[in-house]
Amino acid sequence: QQSWSRGGVRRQAQATDVAEEASTHGSDGAMLLQLAERFIREESAFYTPPKPDRIAEDFVFRGPTVGPLCKRDYLTTLGTFEVYKAFPDIQPNPFGFVIDPDNP
């Protein structure tokens, strides 16, 4: 169980968040949410070395102040920073995974 803060409001994020969301979407939803969480934790090139074969060729990263970045630019940018090397004890804390009800 990990704690995080957004806008001054504290919330407890638990590993069960993904399981709870997945339970409302059946086994396909559960698998999709597990894959999303695994990608963030192990394959996104932020917390670990990049795994380019796990990123689609038409991938586009869009952030509030960065992007859009195509796959090549995303991997180049994260390869420049190598956050996982700069902060070797960094711990992923993904939470809030949901399935879009209009585009499951």
Side-chain angles (χ1 to χ4, degrees), residues 59-71 73-74 77 81:
F59 170 87
V60 176
F61 174 85
R62 291 181 177 87
T65 57
V66 176
L69 298 174
C70 66
K71 175 182 178 175
D73 294 343
Y74 172 81
T77 300
F81 293 117

PDB file of all heavy atoms in Angstrom, residues 59-71 73-74 77 81:
ATOM      1  N   PHE A  59       2.959   4.409 -32.007  1.00  0.00           N
ATOM      2  CA  PHE A  59       2.879   4.969 -30.658  1.00  0.00           C
ATOM      3  C   PHE A  59       3.101   6.485 -30.689  1.00  0.00           C
ATOM      4  O   PHE A  59       3.963   6.984 -31.401  1.00  0.00           O
ATOM      5  CB  PHE A  59       3.956   4.313 -29.782  1.00  0.00           C
ATOM      6  CG  PHE A  59       4.143   4.948 -28.432  1.00  0.00           C
ATOM      7  CD1 PHE A  59       3.368   4.569 -27.358  1.00  0.00           C
ATOM      8  CD2 PHE A  59       5.115   5.926 -28.235  1.00  0.00           C
ATOM      9  CE1 PHE A  59       3.562   5.142 -26.095  1.00  0.00           C
ATOM     10  CE2 PHE A  59       5.311   6.499 -26.989  1.00  0.00           C
ATOM     11  CZ  PHE A  59       4.531   6.106 -25.919  1.00  0.00           C
ATOM     12  N   VAL A  60       2.299   7.208 -29.901  1.00  0.00           N
ATOM     13  CA  VAL A  60       2.479   8.651 -29.737  1.00  0.00           C
ATOM     14  C   VAL A  60       2.305   8.973 -28.258  1.00  0.00           C
ATOM     15  O   VAL A  60       1.289   8.637 -27.661  1.00  0.00           O
ATOM     16  CB  VAL A  60       1.463   9.464 -30.560  1.00  0.00           C
ATOM     17  CG1 VAL A  60       1.627  10.954 -30.293  1.00  0.00           C
ATOM     18  CG2 VAL A  60       1.609   9.169 -32.044  1.00  0.00           C
ATOM     19  N   PHE A  61       3.319   9.610 -27.674  1.00  0.00           N
ATOM     20  CA  PHE A  61       3.250  10.059 -26.290  1.00  0.00           C
ATOM     21  C   PHE A  61       2.779  11.507 -26.289  1.00  0.00           C
ATOM     22  O   PHE A  61       3.338  12.348 -26.989  1.00  0.00           O
ATOM     23  CB  PHE A  61       4.617   9.959 -25.606  1.00  0.00           C
ATOM     24  CG  PHE A  61       4.625  10.536 -24.217  1.00  0.00           C
ATOM     25  CD1 PHE A  61       4.222   9.774 -23.141  1.00  0.00           C
ATOM     26  CD2 PHE A  61       5.005  11.849 -23.997  1.00  0.00           C
ATOM     27  CE1 PHE A  61       4.215  10.309 -21.857  1.00  0.00           C
ATOM     28  CE2 PHE A  61       5.011  12.388 -22.724  1.00  0.00           C
ATOM     29  CZ  PHE A  61       4.602  11.613 -21.655  1.00  0.00           C
ATOM     30  N   ARG A  62       1.762  11.790 -25.490  1.00  0.00           N
ATOM     31  CA  ARG A  62       1.262  13.158 -25.332  1.00  0.00           C
ATOM     32  C   ARG A  62       1.189  13.463 -23.847  1.00  0.00           C
ATOM     33  O   ARG A  62       0.538  12.764 -23.094  1.00  0.00           O
ATOM     34  CB  ARG A  62      -0.125  13.307 -25.945  1.00  0.00           C
ATOM     35  CG  ARG A  62      -0.135  13.223 -27.441  1.00  0.00           C
ATOM     36  CD  ARG A  62      -1.551  13.400 -27.993  1.00  0.00           C
ATOM     37  NE  ARG A  62      -1.549  13.397 -29.429  1.00  0.00           N
ATOM     38  CZ  ARG A  62      -1.624  12.310 -30.193  1.00  0.00           C
ATOM     39  NH1 ARG A  62      -1.697  11.125 -29.627  1.00  0.00           N
ATOM     40  NH2 ARG A  62      -1.615  12.406 -31.498  1.00  0.00           N
ATOM     41  N   GLY A  63       1.868  14.503 -23.441  1.00  0.00           N
ATOM     42  CA  GLY A  63       1.841  14.923 -22.051  1.00  0.00           C
ATOM     43  C   GLY A  63       1.364  16.359 -21.961  1.00  0.00           C
ATOM     44  O   GLY A  63       1.202  17.032 -22.979  1.00  0.00           O
ATOM     45  N   PRO A  64       1.154  16.847 -20.743  1.00  0.00           N
ATOM     46  CA  PRO A  64       0.649  18.206 -20.577  1.00  0.00           C
ATOM     47  C   PRO A  64       1.624  19.272 -21.075  1.00  0.00           C
ATOM     48  O   PRO A  64       1.202  20.331 -21.526  1.00  0.00           O
ATOM     49  CB  PRO A  64       0.400  18.338 -19.081  1.00  0.00           C
ATOM     50  CG  PRO A  64       1.090  17.197 -18.441  1.00  0.00           C
ATOM     51  CD  PRO A  64       1.309  16.144 -19.477  1.00  0.00           C
ATOM     52  N   THR A  65       2.933  18.988 -21.014  1.00  0.00           N
ATOM     53  CA  THR A  65       3.911  19.978 -21.483  1.00  0.00           C
ATOM     54  C   THR A  65       4.897  19.406 -22.485  1.00  0.00           C
ATOM     55  O   THR A  65       5.722  20.139 -23.013  1.00  0.00           O
ATOM     56  CB  THR A  65       4.721  20.556 -20.295  1.00  0.00           C
ATOM     57  OG1 THR A  65       5.357  19.478 -19.612  1.00  0.00           O
ATOM     58  CG2 THR A  65       3.824  21.319 -19.344  1.00  0.00           C
ATOM     59  N   VAL A  66       4.824  18.115 -22.754  1.00  0.00           N
ATOM     60  CA  VAL A  66       5.736  17.444 -23.674  1.00  0.00           C
ATOM     61  C   VAL A  66       4.931  16.703 -24.721  1.00  0.00           C
ATOM     62  O   VAL A  66       3.925  16.092 -24.416  1.00  0.00           O
ATOM     63  CB  VAL A  66       6.628  16.430 -22.919  1.00  0.00           C
ATOM     64  CG1 VAL A  66       7.510  15.663 -23.874  1.00  0.00           C
ATOM     65  CG2 VAL A  66       7.455  17.129 -21.865  1.00  0.00           C
ATOM     66  N   GLY A  67       5.419  16.761 -25.945  1.00  0.00           N
ATOM     67  CA  GLY A  67       4.787  15.960 -26.982  1.00  0.00           C
ATOM     68  C   GLY A  67       3.988  16.791 -27.947  1.00  0.00           C
ATOM     69  O   GLY A  67       3.883  18.000 -27.781  1.00  0.00           O
ATOM     70  N   PRO A  68       3.487  16.132 -28.941  1.00  0.00           N
ATOM     71  CA  PRO A  68       3.507  14.674 -29.138  1.00  0.00           C
ATOM     72  C   PRO A  68       4.893  14.170 -29.529  1.00  0.00           C
ATOM     73  O   PRO A  68       5.632  14.836 -30.239  1.00  0.00           O
ATOM     74  CB  PRO A  68       2.501  14.450 -30.265  1.00  0.00           C
ATOM     75  CG  PRO A  68       2.460  15.735 -31.015  1.00  0.00           C
ATOM     76  CD  PRO A  68       2.778  16.825 -30.026  1.00  0.00           C
ATOM     77  N   LEU A  69       5.215  12.976 -29.043  1.00  0.00           N
ATOM     78  CA  LEU A  69       6.470  12.315 -29.379  1.00  0.00           C
ATOM     79  C   LEU A  69       6.159  10.977 -30.037  1.00  0.00           C
ATOM     80  O   LEU A  69       5.426  10.164 -29.467  1.00  0.00           O
ATOM     81  CB  LEU A  69       7.316  12.047 -28.130  1.00  0.00           C
ATOM     82  CG  LEU A  69       7.782  13.255 -27.316  1.00  0.00           C
ATOM     83  CD1 LEU A  69       8.487  12.790 -26.050  1.00  0.00           C
ATOM     84  CD2 LEU A  69       8.696  14.127 -28.143  1.00  0.00           C
ATOM     85  N   CYS A  70       6.712  10.755 -31.224  1.00  0.00           N
ATOM     86  CA  CYS A  70       6.568   9.448 -31.867  1.00  0.00           C
ATOM     87  C   CYS A  70       7.448   8.445 -31.116  1.00  0.00           C
ATOM     88  O   CYS A  70       8.218   8.809 -30.219  1.00  0.00           O
ATOM     89  CB  CYS A  70       6.959   9.528 -33.338  1.00  0.00           C
ATOM     90  SG  CYS A  70       8.712   9.885 -33.614  1.00  0.00           S
ATOM     91  N   LYS A  71       7.356   7.191 -31.477  1.00  0.00           N
ATOM     92  CA  LYS A  71       8.120   6.149 -30.795  1.00  0.00           C
ATOM     93  C   LYS A  71       9.610   6.483 -30.769  1.00  0.00           C
ATOM     94  O   LYS A  71      10.247   6.420 -29.717  1.00  0.00           O
ATOM     95  CB  LYS A  71       7.897   4.798 -31.492  1.00  0.00           C
ATOM     96  CG  LYS A  71       8.734   3.674 -30.929  1.00  0.00           C
ATOM     97  CD  LYS A  71       8.506   2.377 -31.692  1.00  0.00           C
ATOM     98  CE  LYS A  71       9.388   1.261 -31.166  1.00  0.00           C
ATOM     99  NZ  LYS A  71       9.092  -0.026 -31.815  1.00  0.00           N
ATOM    100  N   ASP A  73      11.207   9.359 -31.080  1.00  0.00           N
ATOM    101  CA  ASP A  73      11.506  10.520 -30.238  1.00  0.00           C
ATOM    102  C   ASP A  73      11.314  10.215 -28.757  1.00  0.00           C
ATOM    103  O   ASP A  73      12.074  10.681 -27.908  1.00  0.00           O
ATOM    104  CB  ASP A  73      10.651  11.715 -30.649  1.00  0.00           C
ATOM    105  CG  ASP A  73      10.996  12.216 -32.036  1.00  0.00           C
ATOM    106  OD1 ASP A  73      12.088  11.872 -32.558  1.00  0.00           O
ATOM    107  OD2 ASP A  73      10.173  12.941 -32.616  1.00  0.00           O
ATOM    108  N   TYR A  74      10.298   9.437 -28.435  1.00  0.00           N
ATOM    109  CA  TYR A  74      10.045   9.035 -27.048  1.00  0.00           C
ATOM    110  C   TYR A  74      11.232   8.246 -26.508  1.00  0.00           C
ATOM    111  O   TYR A  74      11.763   8.536 -25.434  1.00  0.00           O
ATOM    112  CB  TYR A  74       8.762   8.203 -26.985  1.00  0.00           C
ATOM    113  CG  TYR A  74       8.471   7.558 -25.660  1.00  0.00           C
ATOM    114  CD1 TYR A  74       7.895   8.273 -24.621  1.00  0.00           C
ATOM    115  CD2 TYR A  74       8.762   6.212 -25.445  1.00  0.00           C
ATOM    116  CE1 TYR A  74       7.610   7.670 -23.399  1.00  0.00           C
ATOM    117  CE2 TYR A  74       8.484   5.601 -24.231  1.00  0.00           C
ATOM    118  CZ  TYR A  74       7.917   6.331 -23.215  1.00  0.00           C
ATOM    119  OH  TYR A  74       7.646   5.732 -22.008  1.00  0.00           O
ATOM    120  N   THR A  77      14.343  10.450 -26.157  1.00  0.00           N
ATOM    121  CA  THR A  77      14.226  11.349 -25.007  1.00  0.00           C
ATOM    122  C   THR A  77      14.470  10.598 -23.705  1.00  0.00           C
ATOM    123  O   THR A  77      15.272  11.029 -22.868  1.00  0.00           O
ATOM    124  CB  THR A  77      12.840  12.020 -24.985  1.00  0.00           C
ATOM    125  OG1 THR A  77      12.687  12.763 -26.194  1.00  0.00           O
ATOM    126  CG2 THR A  77      12.682  12.930 -23.794  1.00  0.00           C
ATOM    127  N   PHE A  81      17.702  10.818 -20.759  1.00  0.00           N
ATOM    128  CA  PHE A  81      17.567  11.051 -19.312  1.00  0.00           C
ATOM    129  C   PHE A  81      17.944   9.832 -18.476  1.00  0.00           C
ATOM    130  O   PHE A  81      18.453   9.971 -17.375  1.00  0.00           O
ATOM    131  CB  PHE A  81      16.150  11.500 -18.966  1.00  0.00           C
ATOM    132  CG  PHE A  81      15.800  12.849 -19.516  1.00  0.00           C
ATOM    133  CD1 PHE A  81      14.794  12.987 -20.443  1.00  0.00           C
ATOM    134  CD2 PHE A  81      16.493  13.975 -19.110  1.00  0.00           C
ATOM    135  CE1 PHE A  81      14.466  14.233 -20.953  1.00  0.00           C
ATOM    136  CE2 PHE A  81      16.187  15.227 -19.619  1.00  0.00           C
ATOM    137  CZ  PHE A  81      15.166  15.352 -20.548  1.00  0.00           C
TER     138      PHE A  81
END
